[in-house]
């Protein structure tokens, strides 16, 4: 099968997430990097492209030059999609321009800064017909997809309560000072990160994980945001209560100042007839504790899992898969959708399984409502 061609905006020298995206895209051999505008200065952009083996005529100083060059090329030479892995403030202008040009887009999260920007992207994508994916990668884990399938099958009954937590400790000190850590610098800068800190960076992941697994729709929330490190301009800790349509309740807790924690994302879903418990740091297992029987530990790669979990699995049980594979599964969903459109066919929802623009827009609304609630004496805020 012919590999799709993609370009990358951002993700050059010293960037953590760009390398993860490229490794994920290389994993299944379905896409190849052919063009890029990989950094914020022409010198670093060109140096980054040379390191990755880009041809000189497709190694661009900025994303505008990249887009202009692609549109001048014959259709059979153009990229099939662009991957946007820049700091948050560039997501909207880059995604808008490429989608307006009719090109398919994959954008890192959080999608954009405002719901108005998200709505404009939705209008553009509806007109252009572009595929638009958002890399909430945790939904790509096989056992997260198994949890979703168990909820949908009624294995835990009606959901009563959801608890999601995401604890990191890497920002427990003012790491952004001194300029040595690019990730800390832009993620704590309101001009580049947006109005939210930990809430936007990892809280958006937690919200998406809940929505992906449970299908619940948030109705109201009550948020408490904090900034513990002196001099930091954005929140580094967030706690909130959630109320879902239908009566279920939820608790969401995220922090980037939890000293000693690494990437402690955990989801528990409590239903009328059972509970599900998944931890990102042990992603190959899922605990299912039924009301009327002993708990069972489900393992990735087992033959009795759901079709969606099996499709997201590459290795036999007992051979660990993780973070990059989850990213790769998101990209496989986008690629399946693009291939279906290229063949004039409807996408198979089991294969074209990825977070969409609508998921990204909901994540932006979640951030806005949490900020509104945190600043309000009313506290409970409609979603």
């Amino acid at each position: 099968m012919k590999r799709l061609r993609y370009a990358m905006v951002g993700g050059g020298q010293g960037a953590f997430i760009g390398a993860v995206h490229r490794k994920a895209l290389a994993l299944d051999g379905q896409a190849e990097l052919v063009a890029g505008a990989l950094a914020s200065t022409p010198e670093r952009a060109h140096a980054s492209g040379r390191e990755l083996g880009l041809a000189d005529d497709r190694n661009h100083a900025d994303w505008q030059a990249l887009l202009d060059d692609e549109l001048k090329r014959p259709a059979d030479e153009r990229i099939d999609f662009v991957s946007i892995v820049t700091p948050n403030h560039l997501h909207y202008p880059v995604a808008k321009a490429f989608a307006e040009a009719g090109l398919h887009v994959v954008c890192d999260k959080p999608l954009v800064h405002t719901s108005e920007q998200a709505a404009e992207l939705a209008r553009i994508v509806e007109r252009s017909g572009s595929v638009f994916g958002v890399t909430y990668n945790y939904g790509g884990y096989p056992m997260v997809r198994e949890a979703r399938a168990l909820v949908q099958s009624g294995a835990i009954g009606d959901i009563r309560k959801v608890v999601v937590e995401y604890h990191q400790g890497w920002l427990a000190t003012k790491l952004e000072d001194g300029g040595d850590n690019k990730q800390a610098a832009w993620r704590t800068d309101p001009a580049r990160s947006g109005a939210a800190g930990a809430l936007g960076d990892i809280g958006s992941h937690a919200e998406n994980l809940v929505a992906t697994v449970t299908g619940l729709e948030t109705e109201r929330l009550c948020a408490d945001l904090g900034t513990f490190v002196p001099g930091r301009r954005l929140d580094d800790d967030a706690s909130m209560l959630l109320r879902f349509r239908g009566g279920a309740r939820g608790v969401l807790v995220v922090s980037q100042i939890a000293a000693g924690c690494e990437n402690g994302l955990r989801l528990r879903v409590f239903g009328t007839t059972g509970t599900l418990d998944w931890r990102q740091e042990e992603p190959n297992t899922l605990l299912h504790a039924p009301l009327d029987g002993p708990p069972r530990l489900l393992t990735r790669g087992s033959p009795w899992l759901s079709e969606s979990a099996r499709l997201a699995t590459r290795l036999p049980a007992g051979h660990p898969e993780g973070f990059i594979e989850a990213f790769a599964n998101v990209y496989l969903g986008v690629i399946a959708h693009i291939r279906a459109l290229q063949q004039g066919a409807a996408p198979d929802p089991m294969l074209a399984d990825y977070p969409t623009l609508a998921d990204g827009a909901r994540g932006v609304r979640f951030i806005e409502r949490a900020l509104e609630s945190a600043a309000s004496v009313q506290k409970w805020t409609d979603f």
Side-chain angles (χ1 to χ4, degrees):
M1 185 178 293
K2 182 180 178 182
R3 289 185 293 177
L4 299 188
R5 297 178 296 270
Y6 78 95
M8 181 166 280
V9 178
Q13 293 174 332
F16 156 67
I17 204 64
V20 170
H21 282 250
R22 289 191 296 272
K23 291 171 184 175
L25 278 159
L27 193 60
D28 297 294
Q30 291 212 34
E32 60 179 328
L33 179 67
V34 299
L38 297 166
S40 57
T41 67
E43 296 77 17
R44 286 197 301 112
H46 287 140
S48 299
R50 285 192 296 271
E51 283 185 4
L52 295 173
L54 292 183
D56 288 343
D57 63 338
R58 301 189 89 161
N59 183 16
H60 299 285
D62 55 56
W63 66 265
Q64 294 94 336
L66 165 62
L67 179 57
D68 289 345
D69 179 66
E70 290 300 320
L71 295 180
K72 292 174 184 175
R73 292 179 179 273
D76 61 352
E77 292 183 10
R78 290 179 192 166
I79 58 170
D80 294 292
F81 67 94
V82 64
S83 176
I84 303 169
V85 292
T86 64
N88 302 343
H89 69 295
L90 290 174
H91 289 181
Y92 176 67
V94 180
K96 179 176 183 288
F98 277 82
E100 283 179 331
L103 294 166
H104 304 304
V105 177
V106 179
C107 185
D108 211 358
K109 45 54 58 190
L111 176 63
V112 288
H113 280 173
T114 69
S115 286
E116 290 76 17
Q117 291 175 338
E120 177 62 15
L121 283 181
R123 287 189 288 268
I124 292 168
V125 167
E126 185 176 5
R127 289 196 303 266
S128 69
S130 299
V131 173
F132 199 115
V134 182
T135 48
Y136 289 111
N137 64 295
Y138 296 110
Y141 278 105
M143 300 315 289
V144 168
R145 294 187 175 182
E146 179 65 13
R148 179 184 63 184
L150 287 170
V151 169
Q152 292 173 347
S153 73
I156 63 168
D158 296 327
I159 296 173
R160 287 174 168 168
K161 187 171 183 178
V162 181
V163 178
V164 62
E165 58 187 83
Y166 198 162
H167 289 111
Q168 298 176 338
W170 72 290
L171 288 177
T173 62
K174 206 161 187 289
L175 196 60
E176 59 267 34
D177 282 359
D180 294 332
N181 191 306
K182 287 174 53 179
Q183 299 301 316
W186 79 256
R187 291 176 194 275
T188 58
D189 177 6
R192 290 179 285 175
S193 183
L199 172 67
D201 192 21
I202 59 175
S204 58
H205 270 305
E207 183 277 334
N208 183 263
L209 185 62
V210 170
T212 297
V213 170
T214 69
L216 294 173
E217 297 180 20
T218 304
E219 188 172 57
R220 307 184 77 198
L221 57 79
C222 177
D224 179 29
L225 306 186
T227 305
F228 282 91
V229 175
R232 182 166 287 160
R233 291 179 290 170
L234 294 175
D235 63 275
D236 49 27
D237 184 86
S239 304
M240 67 186 73
L241 303 175
L242 305 170
R243 292 181 181 175
F244 301 102
R245 287 182 176 85
R249 303 295 176 95
V251 178
L252 184 151
V253 184
V254 300
S255 182
Q256 291 181 312
I257 49 84
C261 292
E262 293 177 344
N263 203 52
L265 174 59
R266 182 183 185 185
L267 174 69
R268 283 172 285 175
V269 184
F270 304 94
T272 53
T273 61
T275 292
L276 299 174
D277 188 350
W278 179 80
R279 302 171 185 241
Q280 194 277 155
E281 292 181 332
E282 297 289 340
N284 290 279
T285 60
L286 170 68
L287 179 67
H288 174 211
L291 179 66
D292 56 356
R296 57 181 188 146
L297 191 66
L298 302 171
T299 56
R300 186 208 49 75
S302 300
W304 44 78
L305 299 183
S306 64
E307 183 181 1
S308 61
R310 294 197 305 271
L311 285 171
T313 297
R314 292 167 179 78
L315 299 175
H319 297 76
E321 293 183 5
F323 189 72
I324 290 175
E325 289 88 346
F327 260 102
N329 287 332
V330 171
Y331 272 108
L332 283 179
V334 174
I335 289 169
H337 195 168
I338 293 172
R339 289 196 188 280
L341 294 184
Q342 290 176 342
Q343 295 163 8
D348 181 341
M350 189 62 69
L351 299 177
D353 186 357
Y354 64 93
T356 65
L357 178 58
D359 294 299
R362 190 192 62 250
V364 173
R365 189 165 65 253
F366 162 75
I367 293 168
E368 290 175 333
R369 295 299 179 268
L371 289 168
E372 181 183 342
S373 171
S376 170
V377 294
Q378 179 70 27
K379 302 311 291 182
W380 280 105
T381 302
D382 292 340
F383 195 78

